[in-house]
Amino acid sequence: MSVFPDPTALTPLEDTESLRTGEPSKSAAGVTAVLSSFRHLLTRTGPVRTVEGMLKLNQKDGFDCPSCAWPDPDGHRSAFEFCENGAKALASEITSARVAPAFFAAHSIAALGAMSDMELDKAGRLTHPVVLRPGLDHYEAISWEEAFALAAAEWQDMPTPDHAVFYTSGRASNEAAFLFQLFARQLGTNNLPDCSNMCHESSGAAMKDSVGVGKGTVTLEDIYESGMILLMGQNPGTNHPRMLSALQTAVRNGSHLVAVNPLREAGLLGFAHPQEVGGALGHFTALASDYLTVRLNGDMALMRGMAKTLVEDGTIDRDFIHAHTTGFEEYTALLKNQDWEELETLSGLKREDMQRTAREAAKRKKLITCWAMGLTQHRNAVDTIREVVNVHLLLGAIGKPGAGLCPVRGHSNVQGDRTMGIFEKMPESFHDALDKEFKFQSPRPHGMDTVAAIQAMHEGKVRVFCALGGNFLQAAPDTDFTAEALRACRLTIHICTKLNRSHLVTGRTALILPCLGRSEEDLRGGVPQSVTVENSMSIVHASRGRLTPASPWLLSETAIVAGLAAAALGEKTTVPWGEFANNYDLIRDSVSRVVPHFENFNERIRHPGGFHLYSPARRRIWDTPSGRAGFSSAKLSAFTTVPGRFVLQTLRSHDQFNTTVYGLNDRYRGIGHGRRVVFVNPQDLKNLGIKPMQPVDLTSHWSDGTRVAPRFLAVPYEMPSGNCAAYFPEANVLVPLGSTAEISGTPTSKSIEVSITPSANP
Ligand SMILES: Nc1nc2c(c(=O)[nH]1)N[C@H]1C(S)=C(S)[C@@H](COP(=O)(O)OP(=O)(O)OC[C@H]3O[C@@H](n4cnc5c(=O)[nH]c(N)nc54)[C@H](O)[C@@H]3O)O[C@H]1N2
Ligand SMILES: Nc1nc2c(c(=O)[nH]1)N[C@H]1C(S)=C(S)[C@@H](COP(=O)(O)OP(=O)(O)OC[C@H]3O[C@@H](n4cnc5c(=O)[nH]c(N)nc54)[C@H](O)[C@@H]3O)O[C@H]1N2
Ligand SMILES: [Mo]
């Protein structure tokens, strides 16, 4: 049974016939963004809840924005510390629409499957726990007790603990995440895949190896006082809009911004601050003063070209290199033998571009490099990020004010979840501390990451799949294969706020366990509870929901995880699940003894604005085996295709948060009313004999065969020849499960080899 809308017979809402295209924008935000925020909020929630919600969003006594992980400015927050896309995320959470048991009675799985992702989200907030029993095609209400007992029975019936998989998406609070990993480990498995496996895993792997920490080394203050910012593989106008005001401050302070992106993204070009008079009138601050339209996956070559320039010019920081690094000789030998021609071919840039950028960095010294998915989702992602680190090491641009590495995280608490132990291979020291705190033996063999879990599920080696948030089916690569994998489980469980397609592709039995959103008041025994989150700059702070919950039947994520664990583990457990569920301070007390640098956790989060987690690399202490930061001398590479084919990247439109589709516009790229589009270089389209707006089929090529995504409209768009782009999740069917980044295992969602042909279904 298909649970996807037929792409060749689209629903009226996604009727691509009415697709509009216009000129891409030259700046982001401004008043249109504010109007768009309020339109989304008002149409989905009503005026009172809108104002209540906005006034508590990102305030020190309020709740953390459920959208991205960009930090809040300290000291000078405005009354509305939010952005257009934060408002959309909030509107989606505090919507007045409801998915109650009657909704499921009226809609079979097949009927829900015919709805688009946007319609599923717009259906509203889930109100009751529901179950899909074997052989039936409607979810029906179930009590919390019965749901916990049903799940417990499946977990207790597994041949081995490794027949369980626990997936986490990055919106879960620290408290829920800590309990989730504890449950998995008390059950006896490290099978803890998370969205990070598909996201910044490559950054963590590269940085841990090179500089000893897997997290960013800068703060907002550093951004403000930087001399130069390299913004690589990131579209902040859409995905981290609050970053634009930080960039504006940096530029006004004299920082030099260089954008590195195959597409000319509006948010990199200019920013009209909606809360400044000029911005409101449409005057924008120019952001990037240099724009390198690198070829997809050409970044490693670019960085190597910069490194070569620095070494040849002799503009490197010899004292730093001598005192703090290893591998310099080997690396410089490599640079010496590197010819410019190869660097130019692989990067798609000119030698002068690389030299100019390097010289600017050498002149300004205080370099910050920010990056996101444009660097992490390629086969050589880890080597590319290590090459970024190489440039920083040559300049000594790390561990000093105004300089450092800044992987810009996605989900609002994805970094915190990892800190709390959501990882299939936590270090031994974490296990030891966990064992000591809870007086048990946690399993030591590494567990499965996202791709390995899909493979194992597909092979029938997983009985119970339990997800703390997220939309596994739509976020994972190889949609059809992942669907089969989910269907091979006995039980699939989703702890979540909103309906999504993962709820329609299920194990023999399925549970949807609806939880409170971050904006909602969480009362346990009449006492309001706070949770905590960690942002992209390692600041841990409290978040307290203030709004009335969407339904009186909802439980918090923390209480649901505790309820499941208590039922599944029964007498065997050494964890006071019930007490934890009723008082999150007790969870934080345990965290303070298990997780490094969380001493006096409860005290410290009561300080408005929270606290900054210790980062050794920030102080030039290198937590690596050699005690030094390491140059990487990896073999230069870039993804290429056979002639006539294209490198496809899958990216986000302006109207989505990952798999949650808020609307059908991608305003800054000039797209209106449609998502099934593929952006292609105008000359390439001509050469293919394809007209603008002509329907095309995309076929991806991989060692195991081809995959087809039918009927996308071809949109001519400036970018390097041989590259193209389409939206995720529609294009995920094209991403082969086996195509992953070396070392980090991240699916290569930004380098997929495709051919573009006139559609068989025009
Ligand atoms: N509103 C909103 N906010 C979000 C999200 C959302 O979906 N919506 N998602 C959140 C999450 S989980 C994440 S991880 C982040 C994602 O934030 P981004 O990484 O900004 O997200 P993408 O849309 O994947 O954009 C990738 C950008 O990298 C560029 N790019 C692609 N390939 C390459 C390359 O090879 N080299 C270079 N230099 N550039 C390249 C693309 O052209 C695009 O501009 O955003 C977070 N914030
Ligand atoms: N092709 C391709 N694939 C990609 C990417 C790409 O760029 N290209 N990006 C990857 C990246 S960077 C990421 S991070 C993943 C994202 O993967 P996921 O994190 O799995 O996906 P989301 O779309 O963020 O999850 C949305 C769902 O989370 C649930 N939810 C929302 N709020 C809450 C909450 O407060 N609590 C709970 N428990 N549930 C909640 C809702 O049910 C909602 O439907 O996708 C990855 N997949
Ligand atoms: Mo992400």
Side-chain angles (χ1 to χ4, degrees), residues 195 199 373 410-411 652 658:
C195 66
C199 183
M373 297 304 101
H411 266 298
R652 292 153 172 81
N658 297 340

Side-chain angles (χ1 to χ4, degrees), residues 349-405:
L349 300 169
K350 294 261 165 295
R351 172 179 179 163
E352 298 76 55
D353 298 326
M354 302 184 238
Q355 287 176 330
R356 183 177 67 250
T357 312
R359 287 176 183 147
E360 199 65 44
K363 190 174 91 193
R364 294 169 171 270
K365 293 194 172 63
K366 291 192 290 181
L367 174 69
I368 290 179
T369 302
C370 302
W371 72 89
M373 297 304 101
L375 292 204
T376 64
Q377 298 176 331
H378 297 283
R379 191 173 311 158
N380 63 358
V382 173
D383 283 342
T384 299
I385 296 161
R386 284 181 181 155
E387 202 67 31
V388 171
V389 177
N390 285 346
V391 168
H392 279 258
L393 296 182
L394 288 175
L395 291 166
I398 181 167
K400 69 177 185 189
L405 301 165

Side-chain angles (χ1 to χ4, degrees), residues 298-319:
D299 306 86
M300 186 180 181
L302 160 64
M303 294 320 277
R304 196 154 280 186
M306 285 178 64
K308 186 174 168 68
T309 309
L310 295 173
V311 170
E312 283 177 2
D313 289 359
T315 47
I316 56 180
D317 184 342
R318 289 195 182 275
D319 294 341

Side-chain angles (χ1 to χ4, degrees), residues 256-466:
H256 178 79
L257 210 89
V258 180
V260 182
N261 201 306
L263 310 180
R264 291 182 72 80
E265 304 283 25
L268 299 171
L269 296 168
F271 172 54
H273 200 313
Q275 288 160 22
E276 291 181 359
V277 177
L281 292 173
H283 302 307
F284 62 86
T285 309
L287 292 177
S289 25
D290 204 350
Y291 210 111
L292 306 178
T293 45
V294 68
R295 186 165 284 171
L296 274 174
N297 196 218
D299 306 86
M300 186 180 181
L302 160 64
M303 294 320 277
R304 196 154 280 186
M306 285 178 64
K308 186 174 168 68
T309 309
L310 295 173
V311 170
E312 283 177 2
D313 289 359
T315 47
I316 56 180
D317 184 342
R318 289 195 182 275
D319 294 341
F320 175 86
I321 293 167
H322 181 74
H324 291 285
T325 69
T326 59
F328 176 68
E329 269 75 36
E330 189 189 344
Y331 184 56
T332 41
L334 189 89
L335 295 176
K336 208 169 177 176
N337 296 324
Q338 177 65 51
D339 63 76
W340 280 107
E341 220 178 288
E342 188 186 17
L343 294 172
E344 289 187 332
T345 312
L346 296 187
S347 68
L349 300 169
K350 294 261 165 295
R351 172 179 179 163
E352 298 76 55
D353 298 326
M354 302 184 238
Q355 287 176 330
R356 183 177 67 250
T357 312
R359 287 176 183 147
E360 199 65 44
K363 190 174 91 193
R364 294 169 171 270
K365 293 194 172 63
K366 291 192 290 181
L367 174 69
I368 290 179
T369 302
C370 302
W371 72 89
M373 297 304 101
L375 292 204
T376 64
Q377 298 176 331
H378 297 283
R379 191 173 311 158
N380 63 358
V382 173
D383 283 342
T384 299
I385 296 161
R386 284 181 181 155
E387 202 67 31
V388 171
V389 177
N390 285 346
V391 168
H392 279 258
L393 296 182
L394 288 175
L395 291 166
I398 181 167
K400 69 177 185 189
L405 301 165
C406 184
V408 181
R409 303 278 158 182
H411 266 298
S412 52
N413 195 39
V414 63
Q415 188 162 313
D417 292 343
R418 186 54 67 84
T419 309
M420 292 298 121
I422 301 291
F423 193 24
E424 69 280 0
K425 42 185 185 202
M426 284 304 279
E428 201 63 23
S429 54
F430 179 88
H431 282 279
D432 292 344
L434 198 67
D435 293 0
K436 184 161 167 247
E437 174 70 12
F438 295 106
K439 305 189 176 51
F440 79 118
Q441 260 291 312
S442 57
R444 293 307 200 269
H446 290 171
M448 298 186 286
D449 67 2
T450 294
V451 168
I454 294 169
Q455 205 87 51
M457 283 155 71
H458 202 268
E459 289 166 17
K461 292 181 182 155
V462 175
R463 288 276 183 93
V464 186
F465 171 86
C466 179

Side-chain angles (χ1 to χ4, degrees), residues 12 19 45 62 80 91 156 166 173 213 217 248 256 287 414 433 435 448 535 544 566 642 651 673 675 686 691 710:
L19 182 91
T45 67
F80 290 103
Q156 288 161 357
F166 292 86
S173 67
V213 288
T217 71
Q248 183 188 41
H256 178 79
L287 292 177
V414 63
D435 293 0
M448 298 186 286
N535 65 33
R544 198 168 133 197
V642 304
L651 41 53
H673 218 272
R675 291 183 50 85
K686 273 201 190 121
K691 298 201 173 55

Side-chain angles (χ1 to χ4, degrees), residues 66 93 121 126 167-172 195-196 198-200 373 377 410-411 414 467-472 474-477 495-500 503 515-518 557 650-652 657-660 728-729 731-732 735 749-750 752:
E93 180 168 303
D121 183 66
L126 295 153
Y167 173 73
T168 311
S169 165
R171 205 176 274 185
C195 66
S196 205
M198 300 181 265
C199 183
H200 264 294
M373 297 304 101
Q377 298 176 331
H411 266 298
V414 63
L468 179 56
N471 184 356
F472 193 77
Q474 294 290 80
I495 303 166
C496 54
T497 51
K498 303 288 291 278
L499 192 60
N500 66 47
H503 307 149
C515 63
L516 295 170
R518 200 179 277 167
E557 292 174 332
T650 56
L651 41 53
R652 292 153 172 81
F657 188 92
N658 297 340
T659 69
T660 303
F728 131 70
N732 286 32
V735 188
S749 314
K750 303 266 193 282
I752 308 156

Side-chain angles (χ1 to χ4, degrees), residues 351-646:
R351 172 179 179 163
E352 298 76 55
D353 298 326
M354 302 184 238
Q355 287 176 330
R356 183 177 67 250
T357 312
R359 287 176 183 147
E360 199 65 44
K363 190 174 91 193
R364 294 169 171 270
K365 293 194 172 63
K366 291 192 290 181
L367 174 69
I368 290 179
T369 302
C370 302
W371 72 89
M373 297 304 101
L375 292 204
T376 64
Q377 298 176 331
H378 297 283
R379 191 173 311 158
N380 63 358
V382 173
D383 283 342
T384 299
I385 296 161
R386 284 181 181 155
E387 202 67 31
V388 171
V389 177
N390 285 346
V391 168
H392 279 258
L393 296 182
L394 288 175
L395 291 166
I398 181 167
K400 69 177 185 189
L405 301 165
C406 184
V408 181
R409 303 278 158 182
H411 266 298
S412 52
N413 195 39
V414 63
Q415 188 162 313
D417 292 343
R418 186 54 67 84
T419 309
M420 292 298 121
I422 301 291
F423 193 24
E424 69 280 0
K425 42 185 185 202
M426 284 304 279
E428 201 63 23
S429 54
F430 179 88
H431 282 279
D432 292 344
L434 198 67
D435 293 0
K436 184 161 167 247
E437 174 70 12
F438 295 106
K439 305 189 176 51
F440 79 118
Q441 260 291 312
S442 57
R444 293 307 200 269
H446 290 171
M448 298 186 286
D449 67 2
T450 294
V451 168
I454 294 169
Q455 205 87 51
M457 283 155 71
H458 202 268
E459 289 166 17
K461 292 181 182 155
V462 175
R463 288 276 183 93
V464 186
F465 171 86
C466 179
L468 179 56
N471 184 356
F472 193 77
L473 173 73
Q474 294 290 80
D478 228 335
T479 315
D480 297 334
F481 190 90
T482 300
E484 289 167 10
L486 284 164
R487 288 201 173 105
C489 296
R490 293 252 302 234
L491 173 67
T492 47
I493 307 171
H494 287 93
I495 303 166
C496 54
T497 51
K498 303 288 291 278
L499 192 60
N500 66 47
R501 204 165 304 280
S502 295
H503 307 149
L504 313 180
V505 178
T506 67
R508 215 161 62 93
T509 305
L511 285 170
I512 303 179
L513 305 179
C515 63
L516 295 170
R518 200 179 277 167
S519 58
E520 292 166 332
E521 183 161 50
D522 182 1
L523 288 174
R524 298 294 300 174
V527 183
Q529 304 290 321
S530 297
V531 293
T532 60
V533 291
E534 174 184 342
N535 65 33
S536 208
M537 291 179 176
S538 306
I539 292 160
V540 180
H541 65 93
S543 169
R544 198 168 133 197
R546 298 294 175 141
L547 306 184
T548 311
S551 135
W553 289 276
L554 300 182
L555 293 179
S556 69
E557 292 174 332
T558 312
I560 296 172
V561 174
L564 288 169
L569 299 166
E571 298 291 291
K572 282 188 305 197
T573 191
T574 57
V575 177
W577 297 106
E579 290 169 38
F580 277 174
N582 286 329
N583 181 357
Y584 304 173
D585 278 352
L586 299 178
I587 305 175
R588 286 186 285 267
D589 282 341
S590 277
V591 169
S592 72
R593 291 184 291 264
V594 173
V595 184
H597 313 303
F598 276 79
E599 301 79 18
N600 306 320
F601 191 9
N602 273 310
E603 262 168 68
R604 287 198 286 165
I605 53 137
R606 282 177 169 75
H607 168 76
F611 62 96
H612 190 251
L613 275 180
Y614 169 75
S615 157
R618 219 179 131 66
R619 299 175 191 200
R620 297 192 166 176
I621 297 168
W622 316 104
D623 190 10
T624 57
S626 66
R628 288 171 162 261
F631 280 99
S632 151
S633 294
K635 188 172 157 18
L636 181 64
S637 60
F639 187 74
T640 49
T641 68
V642 304
R645 291 189 190 154
F646 293 78

